[in-house]
Amino acid sequence: MSNLAKPPFQSDLDIAPPLLPAQVLCNDAQALDAAHALAKAARLQAGLRDQQRRLPWAEIEQFSRSGLGSISIPREYGGPQVSFVTLAEVFAIISAADPALGQIPQNHFGILHGLQSAASEAQKKVLFQRVLDGWRIGNAGPERGTKNTLELKARITRDGDDFILNGQKFYSTGALFAHWVAVKALNDDGQQVMAFVQRGSHGLRIVDDWSGFGQRTTASGTVLLNNVPVAADLVVENWRLGQVPNIQGAVSQLIQAAIDVGIAQGALEDTQRFVREHSRPWIDAKVERASDDPYVIADIGKLHIELHAAQALLRKAGQVLDHISAAPITEQSAAHASIAVAHAKVLTTEVSLLVSEKLFELAGSRATLAEFNFDRHWRNARVHTLHDPVRWKYHAIGAWHLNGKLPARHSWI
């Protein structure tokens, strides 16, 4: 880890980041205002942070202080419970400025939604209140060296009245910035649980060894767990999510799609700005400015259409989730939610890759200079869209419409 990436409180002995006072927002409009304010601040040095792998600590702290971390908490627990349409828009706004900053809390929100179905009433009261107080939740679910992303080697074993946790995680987005690390492990009965490990716990170590060429400042690296003690009341029976119809996967995918929309939006804004201010027109165009080249104009128009289509499907997916979550969720309604989000995810994946690639064709060779760091848009799009293969979205959509087949129930559909 470079000195630039290592905060002063990070060491081999895990120490929690500072807990700062957080406000609680009241409604969707306030959430959108806070997202725009954060995006304005994050945009200033987003390219430099990417070049230097400088982690966005100040921006994450602004995220928490602003109250954005608790916008999805249900009203009965003191939160504003914004709509899914707003939640997606918040992530798109932030990700247009810095998609790494957008990705860091994505699991925070996915976990909060899962708690609504899997946690006990006592657990929800404690965990939701902590988030309202400004606590951040980081992810420690995926592992390397397993046959697929669902297989777990981490184990949690009974130790008197409480538990001991052992294992190693990777792709642990948000963990380094978190106050609680949510660890998926198998219990003594072979069932999946989620243990909430407080930062600074004995035996916990978080390593910033993420070396992906995109989303470079997410710190999505390794979490080491060596006989970590966990209180029994902080172990959530996550296996229950697989027993009842739910929209956990759809919510997770909605946020993923929103980040990709943000990447496309940011890339398109940079394309247009560069073409207007720096690009030279092609000699055969016989125009004074690159922005008057008829082929460039047409391509910009096409990109806007593609982006608007993706945004429209994302908004429609959020509306579907809002409608479905307002009633008891059934197998059919849960499947409908997943398919609606899959429609959006297909287009958001494609448009983020398309716009970030088209940037260079339209802006010209000068846009490839390192001083502009525009390649970060494609690198971010390519890495983030690899969370789950979009080819399986096409399959799920086709199987649903053609044969009425319900999609699988997991976090990737």
Side-chain angles (χ1 to χ4, degrees):
M1 184 191 301
S2 70
N3 290 331
L4 285 171
K6 187 172 182 178
F9 45 81
Q10 179 70 18
S11 66
D12 290 342
L13 295 175
D14 189 65
I15 300 174
L19 179 62
L20 303 172
Q23 63 177 314
V24 177
L25 301 174
C26 297
N27 52 49
D28 293 53
Q30 289 184 356
L32 293 172
D33 287 345
H36 281 295
L38 177 59
K40 182 178 180 180
R43 186 175 285 109
L44 295 177
Q45 295 192 11
L48 188 62
R49 286 194 299 272
D50 173 87
Q51 282 184 323
Q52 299 179 353
R53 285 192 185 270
R54 194 170 68 195
L55 302 183
W57 282 100
E59 292 74 21
I60 281 293
E61 289 173 350
Q62 180 177 338
F63 168 88
S64 297
R65 290 196 309 270
S66 71
L68 283 170
S70 60
I71 59 175
S72 67
I73 290 181
R75 294 184 187 93
E76 59 265 37
Y77 296 96
Q81 192 178 348
V82 302
S83 68
F84 286 111
V85 170
T86 295
L87 183 64
E89 189 171 353
V90 163
F91 270 88
I93 290 167
I94 296 170
S95 298
D98 183 351
L101 179 62
Q103 186 183 342
I104 288 166
Q106 72 178 36
N107 291 297
H108 171 101
F109 284 94
I111 290 165
L112 285 178
H113 183 80
L115 290 175
Q116 296 182 38
S117 299
S120 68
E121 189 62 26
Q123 288 172 329
K124 283 186 278 191
K125 287 180 179 178
V126 170
L127 294 169
F128 288 156
Q129 185 57 54
R130 292 292 186 271
V131 172
L132 288 166
D133 292 338
W135 291 48
R136 295 185 294 269
I137 301 172
N139 181 49
E143 301 177 5
R144 291 198 286 191
T146 55
K147 66 179 181 180
N148 59 54
T149 192
L150 292 175
E151 184 183 12
L152 295 175
K153 294 181 179 180
R155 295 293 186 267
I156 185 167
T157 56
R158 176 69 70 173
D159 182 42
D161 294 332
D162 295 312
F163 292 90
I164 292 292
L165 188 58
N166 284 280
Q168 181 170 325
K169 302 289 185 173
F170 195 63
Y171 305 111
S172 303
T173 304
L176 185 63
F177 304 94
H179 301 94
W180 252 326
V181 180
V183 182
K184 289 182 180 178
L186 298 183
N187 64 15
D188 292 329
D189 297 323
Q191 296 171 317
Q192 184 191 117
V193 299
M194 179 174 286
F196 283 78
V197 178
Q198 190 169 337
R199 292 293 301 280
S201 295
H202 177 75
L204 171 67
R205 186 182 173 206
I206 299 176
V207 184
D208 180 17
D209 56 351
W210 172 244
S211 61
F213 62 70
Q215 298 296 85
R216 298 176 68 183
T217 60
T218 58
S220 301
T222 299
V223 170
L224 301 172
L225 304 142
N226 182 23
N227 291 325
V228 177
V230 183
D233 57 0
L234 291 177
V235 178
V236 175
E237 295 182 335
N238 210 43
W239 58 269
R240 295 185 183 278
L241 282 173
Q243 307 301 307
V244 296
N246 63 78
I247 58 171
Q248 175 67 18
V251 172
S252 175
Q253 289 291 295
L254 184 78
I255 295 172
Q256 302 269 24
I259 294 170
D260 295 335
V261 158
I263 293 173
Q265 180 68 49
L268 186 53
E269 290 171 358
D270 276 345
T271 303
Q272 294 178 160
R273 187 180 306 109
F274 198 91
V275 167
R276 285 194 298 262
E277 298 175 1
H278 300 290
S279 296
R280 296 187 298 182
W282 182 241
I283 52 177
D284 294 328
K286 303 293 193 292
V287 294
E288 292 297 320
R289 303 181 308 167
S291 58
D292 290 328
D293 183 320
Y295 291 108
V296 172
I297 291 172
D299 276 347
I300 291 293
K302 290 177 184 178
L303 293 178
H304 272 278
I305 292 169
E306 296 281 354
L307 177 58
H308 290 168
Q311 291 169 330
L313 280 183
L314 181 67
R315 183 173 184 82
K316 181 179 179 181
Q319 292 170 338
V320 169
L321 265 60
D322 286 326
H323 175 74
I324 286 173
S325 62
I329 297 173
T330 66
E331 293 279 358
Q332 285 295 324
S333 67
H336 181 200
S338 289
I339 296 301
V341 177
H343 277 88
K345 188 67 161 57
V346 166
L347 279 197
T348 61
T349 294
E350 293 180 349
V351 76
S352 64
L353 292 167
L354 173 65
V355 178
S356 57
E357 164 66 23
K358 200 74 173 176
L359 184 158
F360 300 103
E361 178 186 336
L362 299 180
S365 57
R366 186 181 176 190
T368 67
L369 297 181
E371 65 192 85
F372 301 113
N373 195 28
F374 286 151
D375 60 298
R376 73 183 187 277
H377 295 300
W378 182 86
R379 289 187 286 102
N380 291 335
R382 183 64 283 175
V383 168
H384 190 260
T385 56
L386 293 176
H387 274 83
D388 50 280
V390 74
R391 62 186 179 274
W392 280 96
K393 297 291 188 294
Y394 286 109
H395 180 272
I397 293 167
W400 164 265
H401 288 293
L402 183 62
N403 297 320
K405 182 179 179 181
L406 275 59
R409 187 184 297 152
H410 53 60
S411 296
W412 298 275
I413 186 63

